[in-house]
Amino acid sequence: ANTMWYDERSNGRGYAHLGLAGSLAFPGGSMDENQAFFQTRPEARTASQWLDTGVILDATSYQLGAIESVINIGSLQLVGEYMHISLQRETGPDLAFHGGYFSLSYFLTGEHIPWSRDIGILGRVTPHENFFLLDTCDGHRGKGMGAWQVAARLSRADFSEHDVLGGVGHNLTLALNWFMNANTRMQFNYILGRIDNRRTALAAGGTAIVSGSYSILGTRFVIDF
């Protein structure tokens, strides 16, 4: 990982980051025991994984490559990540799965997301003024707004190739985030998505290839110590 640009004069309100990652895996044992599987939930908490390759029994090896990037210009931030898996099998054709997202966020109240250069991660947002609502001694009501951020994200994941049909998903997320102070925030998300080319078990037996759309409303209250 590397911080390619960091604006010292603005105390880090401008920066750019690029990171690369990779791994190799070699499932062990006999052919019947060689296993690999890949699954994920949508970008909200659900009871089961909505994209799921199931167990790929004859997998002998797979390689994962990933890239991430962050560009921050004042209150505006762009973030993207992409991952790709190449999988080899003893029988059947090799497989490839991939997924990624792109997000854009902006602080309506002028803050920015800081960058921790020591460990290469996003830092803690500190509002210009903490949220408060109280009556002052002179009869006026003082208030602080906290920090308000709007964001949007586009995501896509492809878990289907050849005889493995784990699904192809894509979604759009719209978000409103309220940072009451540096340790407390509320998040509100609306997610609209669709999954196609997904093999699933039927209650009456057998399997079918299905598609479907979904929408999710989500909220989270966070206190970070």
Side-chain angles (χ1 to χ4, degrees):
N2 181 260
T3 303
M4 302 176 293
W5 167 54
Y6 189 86
D7 187 7
E8 299 278 4
R9 292 191 299 175
S10 66
N11 197 27
R13 285 181 62 88
Y15 56 84
H17 158 83
L18 179 67
L20 302 174
S23 65
L24 306 175
F26 303 93
S30 66
M31 176 178 171
D32 291 337
E33 296 173 344
N34 284 352
Q35 296 184 9
F37 68 93
F38 307 96
Q39 57 184 203
T40 187
R41 290 179 171 85
E43 288 159 314
R45 186 69 182 179
T46 56
S48 62
Q49 288 80 10
W50 291 5
L51 296 174
D52 189 350
T53 64
V55 174
I56 304 171
L57 290 176
D58 56 350
T60 58
S61 61
Y62 61 87
Q63 304 81 43
L64 183 148
I67 183 171
E68 66 177 17
S69 182
V70 179
I71 299 175
N72 196 92
I73 304 172
S75 298
L76 180 69
Q77 184 170 99
L78 294 84
V79 180
E81 294 187 62
Y82 176 78
M83 301 179 74
H84 185 275
I85 289 175
S86 298
L87 182 144
Q88 296 77 44
R89 300 190 287 181
E90 290 189 30
T91 61
D94 294 343
L95 302 171
F97 310 116
H98 58 92
Y101 73 87
F102 172 79
S103 70
L104 177 68
S105 65
Y106 182 77
F107 276 98
L108 302 174
T109 46
E111 290 82 2
H112 76 288
I113 302 175
W115 184 253
S116 177
R117 301 181 71 182
D118 293 338
I119 53 179
I121 63 171
L122 298 173
R124 185 191 302 272
V125 173
T126 301
H128 291 327
E129 57 179 19
N130 292 338
F131 169 72
F132 62 89
L133 186 64
L134 50 85
D135 292 325
T136 61
C137 60
D138 59 0
H140 294 87
R141 173 156 287 192
K143 61 182 179 179
M145 294 182 60
W148 290 83
Q149 180 192 45
V150 293
R153 177 179 60 212
L154 286 172
S155 303
R156 189 178 189 276
D158 188 343
F159 283 44
S160 293
E161 188 173 47
H162 299 304
D163 56 314
V164 176
L165 301 177
V168 179
H170 43 272
N171 66 49
L172 168 66
T173 302
L174 301 176
L176 175 65
N177 300 318
W178 179 27
F179 297 79
M180 301 177 188
N181 53 54
N183 301 91
T184 308
R185 70 180 184 270
M186 293 191 70
Q187 299 170 262
F188 307 92
N189 278 195
Y190 174 66
I191 306 172
L192 180 65
R194 181 173 178 83
I195 296 176
D196 296 300
N197 204 22
R198 169 81 155 88
R199 180 182 286 124
T200 187
L202 300 176
T207 62
I209 300 174
V210 298
S211 299
S213 300
Y214 62 89
S215 58
I216 298 172
L217 286 173
T219 184
R220 175 178 291 173
F221 178 70
V222 179
I223 298 178
D224 174 24
F225 295 98

